[in-house]
Structure formats: structure tokens, C-alpha cells
Amino acid sequence: MFKEEGKKFENRLIYAAVYITQRLLTKTEGNRFITDLQALILEYENDIDFTHIGFPSNWKEILIKVNSKKH
């Protein structure tokens, strides 16, 4: 994780990688990433407990906030 955000998420869980990926993408790519991720989650929401892989309940809002800070 980035130093200033190291305490927000468990580094060993998948959501940390998702968050880092979002930070590294451009604003346009980030918007597409959120849309695609949401579709993927909706497809598998009955098969995967996303809290076990580190997704907070407000995962989408967090990623949108990160993306909105980009130029």
C-alpha cells in the first residue's frame, strides 16, 4: 500500500490490490475499472463473500473518491 494509506486495508487481501490498481489508472481508466468491477461483483455476489477478500461495504464509494482526486 501507499505509505499514507497503509492502515486503511489489509495488504494481504484482494481489495488492497484493487485499490492500488485504481490509484495507478488514469481517471478515464479508473471509471471503466469501477464499472467493470461492479459488473463482476454483481455476477458473483452469490458465490463469493467479498468481505473475506477485504472488500469494505463501501468499496465503490472509496474507489470513486480516489478516482475523483485525479486530474
Side-chain angles (χ1 to χ4, degrees):
M1 290 298 279
F2 297 94
K3 186 177 181 180
E4 67 273 12
E5 296 158 328
K7 304 275 186 223
K8 288 185 179 182
F9 312 108
E10 175 61 50
N11 278 335
R12 297 177 296 134
L13 298 177
I14 291 173
Y15 187 75
V18 168
Y19 183 84
I20 291 168
T21 300
Q22 176 66 329
R23 285 281 312 262
L24 297 173
L25 296 173
T26 65
K27 191 168 194 166
T28 302
E29 293 167 336
N31 287 330
R32 177 63 185 220
F33 182 71
I34 292 168
T35 301
D36 291 347
L37 182 60
Q38 183 175 17
L40 188 64
I41 287 172
L42 288 173
E43 184 175 342
Y44 292 101
E45 68 185 344
N46 295 325
D47 303 315
I48 299 172
D49 183 351
F50 288 91
T51 60
H52 286 302
I53 57 174
F55 276 70
S57 60
N58 63 337
W59 68 267
K60 185 176 176 185
E61 290 79 21
I62 294 169
L63 296 183
I64 289 171
K65 184 177 179 182
V66 168
N67 205 48
S68 70
K69 293 179 182 179
K70 298 174 186 173
H71 302 288

